[in-house]
Amino acid sequence: MNDSHILHRRTLLRCAMAGLALPLTAHAAPEAWPNQPITLVIGFAKGSVSEVLASTLAEPMSRVMGQAVKVEMAEGKAGTQAAVRVAKSTDNHTLAIVMSNTLTVAKSVDPSLPYEPSRDLRPVAFTSEDAMVLVASAREPSTASAAEFLATARIAGDKWQYGSQGTGSVGHLGMEFLGIKGGLKARHVPFNNGPQILDAIRAGQVHMGMVPVTLAKRSNGRMGGIKAVAVTSYGRNDLLPDVPTLHEAGVIGFDYRVWSAMVVPRRWSEAQVNYMVSVMERVLRDKEVDAKLRQQGVDIPSNITPAQVNREIVRETRLLGGIASIRNIAK
C-alpha cells in the first residue's frame, strides 16, 4: 500500500471519529494532495462574516482533509485583496472566503484590480447569506424610531456622512441602495472594516453605516454607544428580533442581503475542485458547525453548490451593477 493510500485511510478514520466522515458518494482526495497545510484567506477583520466563517470552519475542514487549515487576513480594497491573493497563488493549497461584491462588481468599480473573477477564480461553496444592519450613534435622538431616523437623515441631506467597509463593498452598495430607495443623500466615507465604522460613529466622524449581524448582535460587545436602527432583509432577524426592518420603517419592499462564497484558483485541477466541493458539503452540513455559525449570526444557505454561487453571481451582478451605475460608483 503506498503512502497516498495510507494518508487517505487515515483521513477517513479521523473524519469518522469526528462525526464528519465523507459520504460514500463523495469524491476521494486526489493522490498525494493536499500534502501541506491549507491557507484560508479572508478580506476583513475580526467580527466580519468572512472571519466568523473562517474561524469556525478551519478546524472541521482540517479534520476532514487531514491537513492543518490556517486562516490569514488580507485586508483592504473592500475585501478584494483576499481574491487577489488566491487568484495569484501557485501553491495549490490557498483558497478564500469572499463577499459577493468580489465576484460581481468589484472589477467594474475598480478596473485596476489584478484579477478577473470568471477567469481567475472558481467557487466551491456558497457559504453564507445574511442581512446587514443599519447602525447609528445611540446619542442621536431620532434612533428611538427607525422611521424617524430615516426622516431625520433625509432632512440632513449631504450634511450627514456614512461609513462603509471600502469603496464598492457590500456596505457601500447597500447604503447607496438605501439612498435610491429611501431618498437619503448622505456622503460616503470609506474605511477598511466594520469595527472601524462603529468606532467612527462613536467618535462622531460619521452618522451611520451598514454592518453585518455578526457585529451588530448585542453579545459581541462591540455595540457600546451604537444603536441597531433597522435590518436590511425583508423579514426580521432572529438574533435581533426587536430591531425593525427597513421595509417596516417605510422603505417599502427593501430587501438587501449579502452573501459569501469559498473560491479557489481557476487553475486547480477538476479532481481538486471536486474534492473541495465534497469537503465543504460535509463541513457546512454538520449540525454542530451550523449551530455555531447561527449563534454568531451567520446563516448557511440551503443550496451551497457551486452552481448556486454562479446563479447568485448573475442575479447580484444585475442588482449591484445597477446600484453602482445609478450612483456612479467607481474608483
Side-chain angles (χ1 to χ4, degrees):
M1 184 177 293
N2 63 35
D3 289 344
S4 64
H5 289 157
I6 292 172
L7 174 60
H8 185 57
R9 285 184 61 187
R10 287 176 179 169
T11 300
L12 290 176
L13 179 59
R14 291 192 191 102
C15 296
M17 292 174 65
L20 288 166
L22 296 177
L24 293 177
T25 56
H27 293 275
E31 188 168 346
W33 186 92
N35 55 15
Q36 66 185 57
I38 299 292
T39 300
L40 177 55
V41 187
I42 57 173
F44 292 104
K46 187 172 178 61
S48 65
V49 172
S50 51
E51 186 275 329
V52 168
L53 278 162
S55 60
T56 304
L57 298 178
E59 195 272 337
M61 284 175 63
S62 176
R63 294 205 306 262
V64 172
M65 301 179 75
Q67 287 286 347
V69 176
K70 54 182 182 179
V71 178
E72 291 190 2
M73 193 177 299
E75 194 175 357
K77 293 195 173 182
T80 58
Q81 289 297 89
V84 172
R85 170 81 181 278
V86 171
K88 301 300 181 184
S89 68
T90 58
D91 64 0
N92 282 345
H93 287 76
T94 300
L95 59 163
I97 293 174
V98 298
M99 299 305 293
S100 52
N101 64 299
T102 300
L103 300 176
T104 54
V105 298
K107 187 70 173 180
S108 59
V109 169
D110 184 1
S112 70
L113 288 174
Y115 77 96
E116 184 66 51
S118 61
R119 182 193 66 210
D120 298 324
L121 301 172
R122 185 168 175 177
V124 296
F126 192 30
T127 46
S128 71
E129 185 176 35
D130 306 282
M132 298 193 80
V133 185
L134 178 66
V135 294
S137 172
R139 296 192 301 271
E140 168 57 48
S142 65
T143 57
S145 160
E148 183 182 349
F149 178 79
L150 292 174
T152 303
R154 290 187 194 99
I155 293 170
D158 63 3
K159 294 179 182 178
W160 271 23
Q161 297 177 311
Y162 73 86
S164 86
Q165 301 86 346
T167 300
S169 66
V170 290
H172 182 197
L173 293 161
M175 285 299 302
E176 290 299 323
F177 190 32
L178 179 57
I180 293 169
K181 297 276 285 184
L184 276 61
K185 296 182 179 179
R187 290 176 289 119
H188 176 226
V189 179
F191 296 95
N192 281 332
N193 55 58
Q196 288 181 359
I197 297 171
L198 300 183
D199 290 342
I201 292 173
R202 271 189 288 266
Q205 295 175 268
V206 297
H207 297 82
M208 56 186 167
M210 276 186 189
V211 299
V213 174
T214 54
L215 272 180
K217 65 187 181 73
R218 298 180 184 90
S219 62
N220 78 5
R222 294 174 180 266
M223 289 289 283
I226 305 294
K227 170 83 171 185
V229 177
V231 294
T232 64
S233 53
Y234 189 80
R236 292 201 180 194
N237 186 276
D238 290 342
L239 290 181
L240 300 169
D242 298 329
V243 178
T245 68
L246 285 166
H247 170 75
E248 291 176 87
V251 189
I252 303 303
F254 194 89
D255 187 16
Y256 182 69
R257 287 163 292 172
V258 299
W259 52 267
S260 69
M262 181 173 286
V263 295
V264 301
R266 180 67 67 171
R267 67 177 64 87
W268 276 24
S269 72
E270 201 68 24
Q272 289 170 329
V273 171
N274 288 337
Y275 175 62
M276 281 308 308
V277 170
S278 294
V279 169
M280 296 316 301
E281 177 71 31
R282 292 305 300 159
V283 171
L284 290 169
R285 292 300 178 223
D286 181 75
K287 291 182 179 179
E288 184 178 339
V289 171
D290 180 70
K292 285 181 179 178
L293 288 173
R294 289 186 188 280
Q295 287 170 3
Q296 297 178 86
V298 177
D299 285 337
I300 300 173
S302 57
N303 185 346
I304 63 172
T305 63
Q308 181 63 21
V309 180
N310 288 324
R311 284 190 285 270
E312 287 296 323
I313 288 173
V314 172
R315 183 188 68 82
E316 199 83 341
T317 298
R318 293 194 190 104
L319 173 63
L320 300 185
I323 296 169
S325 177
I326 291 170
R327 303 298 266 197
N328 194 28
I329 297 173
K331 285 189 175 181

